[in-house]
Amino acid sequence: MSSIFKRIKDKLADYRRPGYYKEFDYHWAIVVDIDRCNGCEACVVACYAENNIPVVGKKGCDDARIFNWIRIEKYIEGEYPDVRVKFIPIMCQQCDRAPCEIGCPVYATYHNQDGLNVQVYNRCVGTFTCATYCPYDVRRFNWFTYKPDKPLDEQLNPDVTVREMGVMEKCTFCIQRIRYAKDAAKDEERRVRDGEIKPACVQSCPTGALTFGDLKDPNSEVSRLARSRRRYRVFEELNADPSVIYLKRVMGNGKRSHD
Amino acid sequence: MKRRDFIKYLGAGGIGTAMGIFFGKNTKPPGAKLIPYLVPPEEIVPGVGAWYSTLCAQCGAGCGIIVKVMAGRAKKIEGNPLHPVSRGRLCAMGQAAPQGLYNPDRIKGPLKRAGSRGSESFMEVSWEEALRTLAENLAGLKVKGSAEGLYVLAPPLRGHLDALIRDFTATFGSPNYLPYDLFDNRNLAFANAVSMGMESLPHYDIENTRYLVSFGADFSSTWLSPVNLSYGYGQMRQGSPGVRGTLVQVEPRMSLTGANADEWVPARPGTEGLVALAMAHVIVAEGRYRGREARQWRSLLEAFSPVEVAKVSEVEEKRIERLAHEFASTRPSLAIGGDVLSGYTDGVSGLVAVNILNHVAGNIGVKGGVVPNPVDPFFSAPGRDFTRSISTVRDAAESGALKTLLTYNANPLFTTPDNLRLRESLDKVPFMASLSSFMDETTAMADLVLPVHHFLEDWADDFCSPSVGKPVATIMQPAVSPKYNTMGAGDVFLELARRLRHEREKALSGGTEILGEFMDERFSVKDFQEHLKRSWRELHAKDRRLSGGNPTFEGFWNRLLKDGGWWPEGAPMEKGPAVRVKDVAAYMPKGASMFEGEEAKHPFYLMVYPQAGLLDGRGANSPWLQELPDPMTSVVWGSWVEINPATAMKLGIKEGEMVTVESPYGKIDAPAYLYPGIRPDTVAVPIGQGHRSYGRYAKETGANPMDILPSLQDKGSGALSLNSTRVNVSRSPKPGWMVKIEATKKEYGREIVQTVTPEEFERMNKEAT
Amino acid sequence: MGSDRTIEQIPYEDVNADVVRTMTETGRLYYIFLFLSMAGVVVLWGLPWAYQIYTGQGVTGLQTPAFWGIYLANFIFWIGISHSGTLLSAILFITQTPWRRSIYRSAEAMTFFSVMTASIFVFVHMGRPWNFYWTVPYPNQRGLWLNFMSPLMFDVFAISTYATSSMIFLYFGSIPDLAAVRDRVKGWRKEVYTVLSLGWRGTDAEWHWLTKAYTFFAVFIIPLAVSVHSIVSWDFALSKVPGLSKTIFAPYFVVGAIYSGSAGIVTLMIFLRRGLKIEKYITKTHFDKLGMLLVVMSLIWSYINVVEVFTGWYADTSFETESLRYRMFTPPFSYMYWLMIFTNTVMPLFLIFRKVRRSMAPALIISLGINVGMWIERYLIIATSLPRKFHPYMWNDYIPSLVEISITLGSFCFFTMMFLMFVKLWPSVSIYEVKEDIGIPFRTKKGHH
Amino acid sequence: MNPVLLGLYKYVDDMIDAAGRLRDSGYEVSILSPIPLGHEIEEALGEPKNHIRYFTFAGAICGFFFGIIFTLGTAAMYVLPRGGRPIFSATPTLLISYETSILIGVFFTLIGFFLMARLPYYKKRVYDPEVNVDSFGLLVDGIREDKYGEVERVLKEHGAKEVKRLEKE
């Protein structure tokens, strides 16, 4: 009898724990060293290729419906000649207290055991709530069914779904690659090694600004970088607990040219 | 090569050939998946990609790549992690290569002109007919004794395909094999040749430098080898803990590299070389130069004191001095020059000036400086022929010396200034054949279109230039079987050779012997793949570095295809050549570069530059690259004119409004983009858009600044001077719209991109250690 | 209590006759309006919506940061309008306010129809409306329940409860009148009203249970209505978006809802009394009282509006400042904003004058103005917040497309159509409560208490 | 069955007086009126019980618990963590049960009304359309054969404008 009570008590404790998971299986994270990023946008094209991202054309871009799951934001400060330009790659931040996840009425987005914010295309009914709640503006909506001109569809990646009209989508940290690596690791009865998985953007980055890995492993490259004193997270004050960690750009205050 | 991350190569042997496949370390054991390369691997396990290593031919950098192939289709391109140039990374353009392969506007079979020339009306013909037509035309030339009337125009190729075409042309009896590419760094090669005697481009060791001054070289987007240099840039910034290299960019228009610089020095257009010399002047005058000829250098640089240079360049004297001090005292330091600088009318002088600066600061031949690439007996790019250029073709066409023009993947009609009048000249050419995958402007003029394989379907190799301080040879092998009725470029030349030989036999039977060539066994192989293998067999036999590790050729060949190429593990640093006063004296600038047009009528300097992703316009038919926001302006699907906001306000131009850019040679219309990173007396237009042909995505998108450029060429190098005219800017009544992705340029204090000052960074490092 | 009486002495007989007349006698003008509104529903709503479903949400003006647009503004607007009837009816019932009696029936109908209109907008707004049933909580083969943490789920529950309750409230209060109609009509109507009136006879027991149950309904409806609009405001307030995430939104929305609802009643009553020729029952005294209500609501609404602006301004963060600047000083939104202030804060002040309250033309202008203003308010909340979210790089201006505007107009046609059908099928003035207002006939002049 | 007598009155106080008198005489009296006369009848005939509140209360309680069980139960059946919040979250649970308690409370109240008022009832009953216009009807049942005259007289005495003898079905 007491065992039943204990079970109920344990279950209740589980269900009352914020975020539910005692700990994540892995805690995937990307560390972006903005001081390395030179804004070349190789990551953007890599993402297009890996994730079957549709092209929306000039009109679509004008309507602000471009599908870049990862974008390089550029901000210019100052006037000529003291111009300072800053770049920052913004992809889904895979927040551990994700505002988008609470918004969805049909569980189309939820948190998985790897600390990833997962989007289930099949469940999505298109209420736009997740995209509205997202402070990072990384969610993209299939306004139409976008089809590439034939035969450009032959390069579509079979590991990734092609989304239909009315569905919300976003960066997945290339979950298909994570999946492959985790399966392989499981076959060999080991954990995924550091550096074994590289999402398309991380893989392509010529300057090595992006690093992907498991934050749970204190010896991983991301954990090492995340301990940097330059560490910060975008809009930390919103308390969304993003998994993308940025390292501050080293930059003069723009007065240097005056001396 | 200790890339133990997640991949390794698996060997695979076939009947007569072999191929590389690229698997995840954790999939099934080696040997389970042998895939003969010619058979589309439709039988292989569905859903599991095979990775083939090959060469990226999107630009001339020569990155080694791996291609993920699933069910016989190329899915994804990544950098080859073993390759010393790409180091496993790849730029936007390289990754967009499958968009060329599967482009809906690819030419699907040989075409013969049906309408008038340039009308783009063609009829489909068989390969047999197409090749016969071309062979007969060539035979006709030969018979008439005007074999030198054959001109072959191709991008600067560097491997055995280059050798084959060169041999073919020479054997045919024509000296006119012209490599042409708009951004082929002719000036840089020439300047290095005259000032340092370098035959090949050196490796600029950004990775190890601690103070980099770039005079206009935009290595982040297009200059030389963007992937390799960007890797170096990343390493320079944060590669080793606590050490962060500084980047100073001297250019009138802030390029992507300039945007990343710690300091942007907006010198007046055409005076960057003077700034470099002024820095050299300071170094020499202060006795920091420890090399030979100190006195001579001092007198040579006498005229370029910071005081004088500050007057023309509008860079403060103190600033030049400070930069010179920092440059000389930070070790190692490096100066590079290119793009804008080499585009001036005296671009060679500017680049020589950069070499002088490197020389006096002692940066040549040191780690973190200019690392010379060894001239390898086997694996070096051929030396450049500076005597002939695109104007040679124009002149030959005008004079009627050009009888038959063969172009291979070259599009001079788009990438030369309209003012060169190439179009009119080519109209006079009796016969034009184009080997190209796309109906570009030049191909549209051709009488015969021979569609060649996309590089993902073809065989070739490449000897990388600039290399990375050691020879790098990369193999291009087919990742997928040809999608359309196309032929490999090498195969076309071999087939032509066979047919010409056949023509000869016919001629022999007729009693006349005029076609005695092409009997060489080089031309008698089955196809280009065989040719390539044969050539490598010869190399393997000659070069002990190759045969050392793999005594049998087959083993070596397999290894070659697996790894995607051959390069030695390491190479000793070449001794740096010295810059001699007598060599450079002739190239000292007389002042700021000249610009066409009068200041009163054309008040603005025009800077043109390759748009990231489109390069010289070749990327314009890729939807991905068209939709890739330009890094600096975020404009997509079109071109734009960069104007300083203050200037725009004076002219009453708002962002997005159409403006007319008028030079003495013509005018174009494009929307204005207000860009604080450009001098108020300068406007800039990117090259790459404004195609008249080239498929649905490229056509009628944007404007081509080539339409308004003068056809000036450097006398020494033969390179086109792109930044050579002044323009006037006015509001245009023409309709047009600009689409940019950014909503605003400002951050509104939201601290999205947070920064630390270098001082804080120093402090952080000290605290950390 | 005679001063409370809003209706002059009318014989009981006439009340029955007048109300049944409004249902049975129909002029040509009515059919013209009915046809126009039906045509409007098909052309302005049905066809564009079909086009939108077939082509995709891309035919709207929605884009990347502005994922919510005019559809949600309409949704909130109609939910707000719905607060007129039921809430007013219930509050005034509990407080025993006599002038409620002749207007509450049509006000409740207005509630029901505007909730209907609003809920259709939920489906119009959806990206995949053919999967709408995925948002309904029932055991299913997809093996999924719903995320009750989502404010949208709160909405589903609140609005369906509200729609159900207000429908029951409306029907329940009409049972005696349906019986009265049953007794006076012939043909198919007889049969329909016989079924609808449930066999009502008006015995003392029936009346007893009716009034008791009615009181409970009224007690339930008041907190329900408050919760409905609070919950709708939480759709916004639970996000983190500057301009949407505001703690004041719940009271602001409730007040705004009552305000717009009351104005809606005024507009509707003006048309109703003219259209059905029932000036005897809906008198100037009604407008007098409603006018006073409007002044009070206007003052409360304006106060909250000022508080909202002030707190944002006081916060002095880039986010709040930009969202206020965009709303108040950037055309075209600034025009709309200041128009809203004019119609909702300045114009209702004229209702302080008794003369204005009691004349129809000014009342109509002011009430329409308030409704326009309230619609603008809802529109501005959405259209000026989302396009100015956190990342300046992603900012974009939202401009509704023709499809969206057409569907918006279509929703008004739909509401009009439903209401026109209602007045012919339902006693739009409560017979028995009007009689109560006229007074119970006593031989000895005891009168009311 | 015996027929019943229906007296139609113009004035409420007349009818109430008659009703009081006949009830005191032991007749079954009920009133048919076009408007609710709760207050007046209470004064004359005493206050009837209010049973509906039990229904309402029961409904609200049921609804509340239904809401809690529904929200928490479905969350426990399909454990999908979201937003760093616990699976059992207090705020939405209370909110949903708030709504369900109102919803089910309303339903129970309606059912209570139907049960108590014995509606709907579609068979024919003693009724006169007049009582839904401007007459107040007094329905007297349980009259012995010989007492009809007396009852009719009493009704008339109190001012009934008309007395009808109606058959019960």
Side-chain angles (χ1 to χ4, degrees), chain A residues 197-221:
Chain A
I197 305 170
K198 279 185 177 175
C201 54
V202 176
Q203 195 282 329
S204 71
C205 182
T207 59
L210 306 170
T211 315
F212 180 86
D214 180 14
L215 271 186
K216 256 185 76 184
D217 173 8
N219 301 319
S220 67
E221 182 70 6

Side-chain angles (χ1 to χ4, degrees), chain C residues 143 145 183 195 227 435 443, chain D residues 14 31 33 78 99 122 127 133:
Chain C
W145 286 93
D183 296 343
V195 173
S227 81
K435 284 178 185 167
R443 186 182 297 279
Chain D
D14 290 352
I31 296 162
S33 63
Y78 300 97
E99 300 295 336
Y122 289 120
Y127 180 66
V133 184

Side-chain angles (χ1 to χ4, degrees), chain C residues 26-86:
Chain C
T26 311
R28 188 193 292 165
L29 207 58
Y30 172 85
Y31 285 113
I32 292 172
F33 276 115
L34 186 65
F35 172 78
L36 284 179
S37 59
M38 279 175 163
V41 171
V42 174
V43 175
L44 294 177
W45 183 328
L47 296 180
W49 191 17
Y51 171 61
Q52 180 186 309
I53 292 173
Y54 182 75
T55 320
Q57 278 280 350
V59 300
T60 63
L62 301 172
Q63 8 106 328
T64 295
F67 283 102
W68 283 347
I70 204 167
Y71 291 153
L72 273 214
N74 288 330
F75 167 73
I76 301 162
F77 174 77
W78 285 114
I79 290 282
I81 289 285
S82 77
H83 275 53
S84 57
T86 308

Side-chain angles (χ1 to χ4, degrees), chain B residues 320-332:
Chain B
I320 295 176
E321 282 171 2
R322 177 175 55 76
L323 289 176
H325 293 156
E326 288 174 3
F327 188 73
S329 57
T330 319
R331 293 285 91 200

Side-chain angles (χ1 to χ4, degrees), chain B residues 19-272:
Chain B
M19 48 135 9
I21 31 170
F22 203 72
F23 280 125
K25 191 172 197 163
N26 313 301
T27 47
K28 300 217 173 101
K33 306 188 175 189
L34 307 177
I35 310 160
Y37 79 94
L38 275 178
V39 179
E42 262 141 17
E43 297 85 8
I44 65 165
V45 184
V48 177
W51 291 86
Y52 297 81
S53 51
T54 179
L55 164 77
C56 177
Q58 289 281 80
C59 77
C63 293
I65 54 171
I66 52 175
V67 186
K68 184 188 185 188
V69 177
M70 289 171 100
R73 288 166 180 175
K75 297 296 183 188
K76 177 91 172 51
I77 295 189
E78 293 180 357
N80 182 344
L82 300 179
H83 199 271
V85 174
S86 65
R87 290 168 169 266
R89 297 123 203 272
L90 201 58
C91 70
M93 209 174 160
Q95 301 194 70
Q99 296 237 303
L101 176 63
Y102 296 119
N103 199 293
D105 298 313
R106 258 188 84 180
I107 303 170
K108 296 175 177 65
L111 300 172
K112 204 171 186 175
R113 181 160 65 84
S116 61
R117 183 171 272 186
S119 66
E120 282 196 43
S121 98
F122 290 95
M123 61 183 197
E124 287 175 26
V125 292
S126 66
W127 270 106
E128 169 57 32
E129 187 184 343
L131 289 167
R132 197 184 59 230
T133 312
L134 185 55
E136 277 171 4
N137 176 277
L138 292 178
L141 277 190
K142 190 79 184 170
V143 169
K144 280 186 234 134
S146 49
E148 65 278 8
L150 168 70
Y151 279 66
V152 181
L153 210 55
L157 303 164
R158 292 180 295 240
H160 286 108
L161 181 61
D162 176 65
L164 175 69
I165 301 175
R166 193 178 300 275
D167 282 353
F168 175 87
T169 321
T171 313
F172 183 74
S174 165
N176 298 312
Y177 170 47
L178 300 170
Y180 172 74
D181 196 353
L182 182 58
F183 300 110
D184 61 356
N185 303 299
R186 236 167 206 271
N187 271 345
L188 186 63
F190 185 76
N192 288 348
V194 296
S195 56
M196 300 190 282
M198 273 187 191
E199 278 184 37
S200 63
L201 294 170
H203 174 53
Y204 293 103
D205 191 7
I206 293 176
E207 178 176 352
N208 294 309
T209 196
R210 290 199 50 198
Y211 198 87
L212 175 63
V213 184
S214 162
F215 293 88
D218 184 8
F219 60 79
S220 293
S221 44
T222 50
W223 188 65
L224 284 188
S225 186
V227 177
N228 185 266
L229 296 178
S230 291
Y231 171 79
Y233 170 79
Q235 291 300 104
M236 174 188 96
R237 289 299 204 190
Q238 295 291 342
S240 39
V243 181
R244 181 177 186 273
T246 308
L247 169 61
V248 177
Q249 187 87 359
V250 185
E251 57 188 2
R253 172 212 167 249
M254 185 189 266
S255 65
L256 179 59
T257 309
N260 288 295
D262 299 277
E263 190 173 347
W264 174 52
V265 185
R268 191 188 180 86
T271 62
E272 293 96 316

Side-chain angles (χ1 to χ4, degrees), chain A residues 18-19 95-102 109-111 117 239-240, chain C residues 149, chain D residues 80-86:
Chain A
C95 311
D96 290 337
R97 295 172 55 80
C100 57
E101 289 170 6
I102 19 174
T109 178
Y110 75 99
H111 222 64
N117 184 306
N239 200 19
Chain C
M149 206 176 273
Chain D
L80 291 171
R82 61 275 195 232
R85 268 69 161 178

